[in-house]
Amino acid sequence: GAGVSQSPRYKVAKRGQDVALRCDPISGHVSLFWYQQALGQGPEFLTYFQNEAQLDKSGLPSDRFFAERPEGSVSTLKIQRTQQEDSAVYLCASSSSGTPHVGHTQYFGPGTRLTVL
Amino acid sequence: GQQVMQIPQYQHVQEGEDFTTYCNSSTTLSNIQWYKQRPGGHPVFLIQLVKSGEVKKQKRLTFQFGEAKKNSSLHITATQTTDVGTYFCAGGSGYSTLTFGKGTMLLVSP
């Protein structure tokens, strides 16, 4: 594909609602990352997939956050019982590398801005 | 855990002036990447440095990786209004994923 796409671009949720954020990575990219970016901050790592395997979920802030990539392409980040502190931009990035770090560019999507009222 | 700090948080320059942002890691890094995020946009990859003491140039941008692989800098010569944005460094260590700094926001006045 042309790039990483994310949907929806904007989401407003009432506190306590569940939300699902979608990421379509660049076609063929093995690695997929989710980040949370609060206003004025850098992206903070949430979780990492290599194909369909979730290899690192150490950054997920609570058990209300869940991510999946069942077929190794599209990924969904789900937040249950949203809280106001969940308000942030959620960025997805993909990489052609099968390893999460050295040597490989991460291509970011436009992000989903989540506002929890 | 690994921490990556950037200074300054914010800089406002006149067009034509130079700009430098510094990045320091609490641990030795295997690589460092730099990204630029325009206002309202998403991070876009600029460059990666891997070797100790490495220096790379992209037109008016010069990137350096320290000898100890714990710090890095980005220098922009003769800034232009198109350089406006937030510049992030992101460090990788061992088998960990990237840790981003908080970024340096650059404003350039014409």
Side-chain angles (χ1 to χ4, degrees):
Chain A
V4 179
S5 60
Q6 292 185 246
S7 61
R9 292 292 312 278
Y10 303 91
K11 177 70 179 178
V12 178
K14 291 184 179 177
R15 190 161 56 97
Q17 278 186 330
D18 297 350
V19 298
L21 313 180
R22 176 187 169 107
C23 172
D24 283 81
I26 292 173
S27 177
H29 274 196
V30 171
S31 294
L32 185 146
F33 306 81
W34 282 99
Y35 293 89
Q36 181 189 62
Q37 187 174 25
L39 190 63
Q41 303 294 313
E44 294 219 2
F45 170 78
L46 294 177
T47 187
Y48 161 65
F49 289 86
Q50 185 184 100
N51 296 309
E52 69 279 3
Q54 189 175 21
L55 299 187
D56 187 345
K57 54 181 181 179
S58 61
L60 295 176
S62 78
D63 59 7
R64 297 185 294 103
F65 287 71
F66 171 78
E68 59 183 5
R69 194 187 184 196
E71 297 177 0
S73 55
V74 171
S75 177
T76 304
L77 176 67
K78 297 179 180 178
I79 309 173
Q80 297 177 325
R81 304 181 303 283
T82 52
Q83 303 294 315
Q84 284 188 323
E85 61 262 29
D86 300 335
S87 295
V89 175
Y90 290 86
L91 293 164
C92 174
S94 71
S95 167
S96 60
S97 168
T99 57
H101 49 97
V102 181
H104 303 280
T105 304
Q106 293 189 22
Y107 295 88
F108 281 82
T112 295
R113 182 177 297 278
L114 172 65
T115 303
V116 181
L117 304 176
Chain B
Q2 180 180 302
Q3 290 186 324
V4 175
M5 291 144 290
Q6 272 186 265
I7 56 169
Q9 283 189 309
Y10 170 87
Q11 189 152 8
H12 187 180
V13 301
Q14 291 293 120
E15 191 171 23
E17 292 182 335
D18 292 355
F19 160 77
T20 305
T21 173
Y22 300 91
C23 181
N24 290 285
S25 170
S26 58
T27 59
T28 302
L29 300 170
S30 54
N31 75 104
I32 195 154
Q33 298 183 5
W34 284 90
Y35 290 79
K36 178 183 178 181
Q37 186 171 23
R38 293 183 186 275
H42 57 274
V44 175
F45 176 81
L46 294 177
I47 208 157
Q48 176 178 256
L49 304 170
V50 178
K51 298 176 184 175
S52 169
E54 189 170 13
V55 177
K56 286 188 176 180
K57 293 191 176 185
Q58 287 180 350
K59 296 182 181 177
R60 296 177 294 103
L61 277 61
T62 302
F63 303 83
Q64 291 189 310
F65 201 8
E67 294 290 341
K69 300 183 75 173
K70 293 183 75 173
N71 57 73
S72 181
S73 65
L74 158 60
H75 179 82
I76 302 178
T77 304
T79 54
Q80 300 175 357
T81 54
T82 53
D83 295 326
V84 164
T86 299
Y87 292 85
F88 293 99
C89 63
S93 176
Y95 282 93
S96 67
T97 51
L98 291 176
T99 300
F100 280 77
K102 293 188 187 299
T104 296
M105 181 186 295
L106 172 64
L107 266 186
V108 181
S109 294

